[in-house]
Amino acid sequence: MTASASHSSATPPPAAAPGASAWPSRHWAEVSAHDFALAQTHGLAAETIAVLPVAAVEQHGPHLPLNVDALLLQGVIDAALPQIDASLPVLFMPPQSIGFSTEHISYPGTLTLSPSTIIALWTELGACVARAGVRKLLLLNGHGGQVSVMDIVARELRVQHGLMVYSASWFSLPLPDDVSGQFSAQEHRFGIHAGQVETSMMLHLAPHLVHMERAQNWRSTSQDRAERFAILGNGRSAKMGWAIEDYNPSGAVGDSASATADQGARVVQAAAASLARLLAELHALESPVGR
């Protein structure tokens, strides 16, 4: 799934609250039960944002590996970590790399869980967050095919456990004009899987896993519908329940042949800056839960 063409503000992210305490690590699994107990006692847990990274292991055409979604998401997180204010209480949970990828099961190698399993898994992890005294959770996604599942989980956790839950995908975070403008409007709309954006990011993050000799410009059948139909093709009014082969039998759509590592590096850094800002905004946001 590719990056959004939306725009970011030049205004810097809000700073963390004065006097906010830091956890001994940014990573949930590296913190001890003793640290959590102290955080509950002193109110740090209630001020903390837990981040649950969710991705996928699925086919990405003939030129990219199965772990694209997981690798790109981790790349954005790694680039964001140095940009997060040291006083901001944020804990990144262990990534959930296998997700809901049934639209890719016609292609060998794809790993997927069922919708009911994914919903149960993420909801139970959210319940653990609530038991730890943390009140805010960000579901941070790297796979477009499970956005609807995040919506269900977020609401369930709000109703069942009183958590304030936001969901976001790295590819929906705002990018500045000069970064999003590296790619055509057509590529932003139709190059949604293993296209120019994802291939560029992979060339930056893991070039040894990319086979550019197999890369092509794969046309999506969505382009055909956009040219023929005013409503079915406008991308907003009607949504098809699709498998990836419905768009192109290669399992990829978009102009991967035009990808460059420089383009990918700029996307990673810009998405990381937006993620850092999002976390600062979530910290500054007073939770409405319980009112």
Side-chain angles (χ1 to χ4, degrees):
M1 187 61 70
T2 62
S4 168
S6 53
H7 313 298
S8 67
S9 167
T11 305
S21 301
W23 290 86
S25 171
R26 289 290 191 198
H27 301 287
W28 185 291
E30 295 179 356
V31 177
S32 71
H34 176 74
D35 295 323
F36 269 103
L38 289 177
Q40 290 176 340
T41 300
H42 297 292
L44 175 60
E47 295 297 318
T48 295
I49 303 163
V51 182
L52 179 62
V54 295
V57 177
E58 61 186 34
Q59 73 82 31
H60 273 75
H63 65 300
L64 294 178
L66 300 172
N67 68 341
V68 168
D69 289 342
L71 197 154
L72 298 189
L73 179 60
Q74 190 61 52
V76 171
I77 292 172
D78 290 343
L81 285 170
Q83 304 184 53
I84 300 171
D85 191 291
S87 65
L88 200 70
V90 177
L91 289 176
F92 285 85
M93 300 172 68
Q96 303 301 300
S97 294
I98 298 175
F100 178 47
S101 300
T102 54
E103 71 272 31
H104 298 282
I105 58 174
S106 295
Y107 299 80
T110 294
L111 302 177
T112 187
L113 300 173
S114 69
S116 59
T117 300
I118 282 287
I119 291 170
L121 174 62
W122 296 352
T123 303
E124 289 179 22
L125 289 173
C128 294
V129 169
R131 283 195 295 272
V134 176
R135 309 311 305 156
K136 295 179 180 178
L137 173 65
L138 174 64
L139 301 173
L140 183 61
N141 178 47
H143 168 45
Q146 57 198 19
V147 170
S148 57
V149 181
M150 289 196 300
D151 292 339
I152 295 170
V153 171
R155 187 170 299 175
E156 286 295 290
L157 289 172
R158 165 61 183 91
V159 173
Q160 294 180 18
H161 300 285
L163 285 173
M164 186 175 79
V165 185
Y166 271 81
S167 58
S169 301
W170 75 257
F171 46 82
S172 295
L173 294 171
L175 304 179
D177 290 346
D178 63 331
V179 177
S180 63
Q182 298 179 112
F183 312 99
S184 68
Q186 175 173 290
E187 189 67 17
H188 277 298
R189 180 175 173 187
F190 299 111
I192 64 168
H193 193 71
Q196 187 179 0
V197 176
E198 288 190 330
T199 303
S200 293
M201 294 173 73
M202 286 294 295
L203 285 171
H204 166 59
L205 293 170
H208 62 290
L209 298 178
V210 181
H211 293 274
M212 286 302 290
E213 73 277 8
R214 303 175 194 162
Q216 297 182 31
N217 184 359
W218 287 287
R219 181 179 174 88
S220 172
T221 60
S222 288
Q223 293 171 254
D224 301 329
R225 288 186 288 277
E227 293 170 359
R228 293 181 59 197
F229 302 113
I231 296 177
L232 282 179
N234 67 21
R236 299 181 303 275
S237 300
K239 188 174 183 180
M240 178 175 69
W242 56 272
I244 189 62
E245 59 265 33
D246 297 331
Y247 290 144
N248 191 294
S250 71
V253 285
D255 187 10
S256 65
S258 297
T260 70
D262 180 66
Q263 291 172 335
R266 298 183 72 196
V267 173
V268 169
Q269 289 300 319
S274 279
L275 174 56
R277 179 181 178 88
L278 171 61
L279 291 168
E281 291 181 357
L282 283 173
H283 182 254
L285 182 66
E286 184 178 355
S287 173
V289 173
R291 294 190 173 188

